[in-house]
Amino acid sequence: MRVWIDLVNSPHVVFFLPIIKRLKQEGVEVEVTYRNFAQTAQLVKKHNLDATLVDGHGGKNKLAKVFSLIARTAALFRYAKNKKFDVALSHNSYFQLASAKLLGIPSLTSMDFEGQPANHIAFRLASIVSLPTAFPQQNALKFGAKQIRRYSGLKEDICLADFQKTANYSSVIQEAFALSENEMRKPLVVVRPPPTLALYHNNDESFFDLCLTRLCEIDVTVLVLPRVESQKVALESKFPNFKFSERVLDGLQLVNCADAVISGGGSMNREAACLNTPAYTLFSGELPNVDKQLEKQGLLIALNNELQIKNLDIKKKETVRNAANQQAISDFMSHIIELKQAG
């Protein structure tokens, strides 16, 4: 079997690594394409993935996104035309899904956020849509999904399927962020800004800004992981005591070492929750159902009012991480096999 995987955002690298490992263990030939968006290219290099760059991102502008969609889809079509792939896999790469449809390649997409407008494109193009159990059925049908399959747990359970703590990773963090011994003794808070270039982002960052101000008032060391360079420039000028790294670190190891993770939403929050690192979300829209599930379990805290933020306090954590839900990746691998058999 020949499998084609397309990575379009940095969390997709971590998601597909354990999947690629299992496919190769079964003797499957895997080819990977990626685009240079967020830290995707750096993570591809860091994890020594043999992957081909097929670039393109349209930014926030909707018209530019349409042109980017057409251009990258055409480029992927040319790439895959004579490859004789049996299946195509992605986490909502509508570029790949469109080119696979044109080439007659059975495709599987996965997604865990029902608030993503582009689901309308991806779900209609995919042969199979693989979703976590928390994704609302009515939303999947509304987006045009025809063949829906479920996996147990969260996307992050798949990311963490092979996770092992790296000894002394705190020293890597100290070097990468140029931290003093005193800064290392303080609680380490990892901050991930909102996804400002995403279609679903509503541009309301007032609570996020208020939270950053609060972090300046308490005795913590703030490590910022910008999604794009413009965020780094803006935050460096406004918060000179925040720490940035020029290196791309292993996000799972970083989150595991952190004492708290604060994000404008996204995978890092849920990775933190799965690793028992206190996780706070400042997502400015309707919380995804997967986040609501974690909130009910007490593993994620939504900071959605000024009083919560003004009372925010962070201490050194004293928790042991949960074991990853191995059923999640087992379910997902079965969906790939079904896709091949159906194709």
Side-chain angles (χ1 to χ4, degrees), residues 38-43 46 169 176 225 245-251:
Q39 290 79 43
T40 308
Q42 295 96 317
L43 287 170
K46 180 178 181 61
Y169 198 76
L225 302 180
S245 172
E246 295 300 322
R247 293 166 52 186
V248 174
L249 302 183
D250 185 319

Side-chain angles (χ1 to χ4, degrees), residues 48-301:
N48 298 312
L49 278 175
D50 184 11
T52 301
L53 174 63
V54 182
D55 216 350
H57 187 274
K60 182 79 171 179
N61 182 274
K62 290 183 180 180
L63 185 59
K65 282 184 179 292
V66 171
F67 283 119
S68 172
L69 172 60
I70 294 170
R72 190 166 189 268
T73 298
L76 288 176
F77 179 91
R78 291 190 296 271
Y79 171 84
K81 186 176 180 180
N82 298 312
K83 294 281 189 176
K84 296 182 180 179
F85 290 121
D86 293 296
V87 296
L89 312 176
S90 73
H91 203 275
N92 256 31
S93 169
Y94 20 93
F95 316 97
Q96 186 207 48
L97 289 161
S99 58
K101 188 80 170 179
L102 292 169
L103 291 165
I105 303 170
S107 61
L108 180 150
T109 191
S110 189
M111 171 51 63
D112 61 348
F113 178 36
E114 66 275 15
Q116 168 59 273
N119 290 345
H120 275 293
I121 302 173
F123 286 18
R124 285 179 166 82
L125 290 170
S127 308
I128 290 179
V129 179
S130 180
L131 304 170
T133 50
F135 195 108
Q137 179 78 3
Q138 65 272 22
N139 289 79
L141 294 172
K142 180 186 73 174
F143 288 130
K146 296 176 283 294
Q147 296 291 327
I148 301 170
R149 300 294 181 268
R150 298 286 184 171
Y151 61 83
S152 175
L154 306 174
K155 172 176 106 271
E156 288 68 32
D157 285 311
I158 295 176
C159 299
L160 289 160
D162 299 324
F163 179 79
Q164 296 290 330
K165 179 180 178 180
T166 299
N168 300 319
Y169 198 76
S170 58
S171 62
V172 177
I173 295 170
Q174 182 173 10
E175 181 185 353
F177 288 92
L179 303 178
S180 67
E181 292 296 332
N182 182 53
E183 288 168 330
M184 287 295 295
R185 283 191 287 269
K186 298 178 183 179
L188 297 180
V189 182
V190 173
V191 170
R192 183 76 160 164
T196 51
L197 295 182
L199 281 172
Y200 54 80
H201 182 61
N202 65 9
N203 296 316
D204 183 2
E205 298 178 28
S206 53
F207 283 158
F208 182 74
D209 291 341
L210 186 64
C211 187
L212 296 186
T213 300
R214 174 59 183 163
L215 291 177
C216 294
E217 299 169 350
I218 59 179
D219 196 23
V220 297
T221 298
V222 179
L223 313 178
V224 186
L225 302 180
R227 295 173 188 263
V228 291
E229 183 64 24
S230 58
Q231 291 176 332
K232 179 184 178 183
V233 172
L235 291 173
E236 271 187 320
S237 63
K238 193 172 182 180
F239 300 99
N241 290 330
F242 287 2
K243 303 297 181 178
F244 299 81
S245 172
E246 295 300 322
R247 293 166 52 186
V248 174
L249 302 183
D250 185 319
L252 298 180
Q253 298 294 340
L254 175 60
V255 166
N256 188 59
C257 289
D259 297 292
V261 172
I262 298 175
S263 175
S267 299
M268 190 161 281
N269 271 142
R270 293 184 286 277
E271 290 165 358
C274 289
L275 289 166
N276 271 350
T277 297
Y280 302 86
T281 181
L282 287 146
F283 189 69
S284 57
E286 176 74 15
L287 271 187
N289 223 44
V290 287
D291 284 1
K292 290 178 182 177
Q293 177 178 291
L294 289 171
E295 191 178 26
K296 287 178 182 177
Q297 295 170 346
L299 298 173
L300 179 69
I301 298 172

Side-chain angles (χ1 to χ4, degrees), residues 3 19-28 30 89 333:
V3 173
I19 295 167
I20 292 170
K21 175 184 174 181
R22 283 157 178 77
L23 287 171
K24 289 185 174 181
Q25 285 173 342
E26 294 298 322
V28 174
V30 180
L89 312 176
M333 298 304 293

